[in-house]
Amino acid sequence: MRPTGPGRGPEQRQREDEQGSMTLLVIGCMAIAVLLILGTIVVTSAQISRIRLLDVADGAALDAADALDTSAYSGGLADAVVISDRTVWDTAEGYLAAREQPADITSWRIESGTGARDGATAVVVVSGRVRLPVVGPLIESVGGSVTITVQGAA
């Protein structure tokens, strides 16, 4: 039986004051957990898109490094096969045109910085607009986009 009235001790009154609901704490913890999970999904998707763009840039650079500059037909070869900026750019554009874009990449293109670094190394810079899950529609609704730029060399 519970004592009531003035005969209640301070210990009993303190326990009654501490009664409450855990609902607010549980809702707050669940909200934090959901935000962490969604944040992880978005960051992972961005990283996967970056890796896909890097794969394309590396493939285009390798293809461009293997391409023979047209001046080699008229001038012959020296000690090494020389590549030019124009050859790297044209070969990289052809490589991108021949590949199918992944579903999460809405567009991609060759950027400035693409060319022959020292006449022997092909450098290809590729940028792509990426659609991220969860936040992608929100970003697009305010007129923004997520662009990832990567560089491949061969």
Side-chain angles (χ1 to χ4, degrees):
M1 214 166 142
R2 261 180 138 173
T4 59
R8 289 188 299 173
E11 188 178 297
Q12 182 70 25
R13 268 185 258 127
Q14 185 179 12
R15 258 189 266 137
E16 286 178 7
D17 290 343
E18 290 179 5
Q19 288 181 351
S21 176
M22 294 285 295
T23 306
L24 186 59
L25 178 64
V26 170
I27 289 173
C29 289
M30 291 300 292
I32 290 172
V34 167
L35 286 175
L36 287 173
I37 290 169
L38 292 177
T40 302
I41 290 170
V42 170
V43 168
T44 302
S45 176
Q47 177 65 12
I48 290 171
S49 297
R50 182 185 159 278
I51 295 299
R52 288 179 177 159
L53 281 172
L54 190 56
D55 179 47
V56 169
D58 283 343
L62 185 60
D63 200 28
D66 289 341
L68 186 60
D69 190 25
T70 55
S71 66
Y73 293 114
S74 60
L77 295 174
D79 293 339
V81 176
V82 179
I83 54 176
S84 68
D85 290 341
R86 186 83 242 148
T87 302
V88 172
W89 191 279
D90 291 342
T91 306
E93 279 185 337
Y95 186 84
L96 260 66
R99 290 207 42 159
E100 184 178 336
Q101 287 180 354
D104 57 341
I105 299 174
T106 58
S107 65
W108 59 21
R109 65 180 184 176
I110 305 295
E111 293 289 337
S112 63
T114 298
R117 181 175 293 160
D118 54 6
T121 304
V123 177
V124 176
V125 180
V126 177
S127 71
R129 290 182 65 186
V130 178
R131 180 177 294 123
L132 298 176
V134 181
V135 297
L138 178 65
I139 292 171
E140 290 171 1
S141 70
V142 295
S145 65
V146 177
T147 302
I148 299 175
T149 303
V150 296
Q151 174 180 317

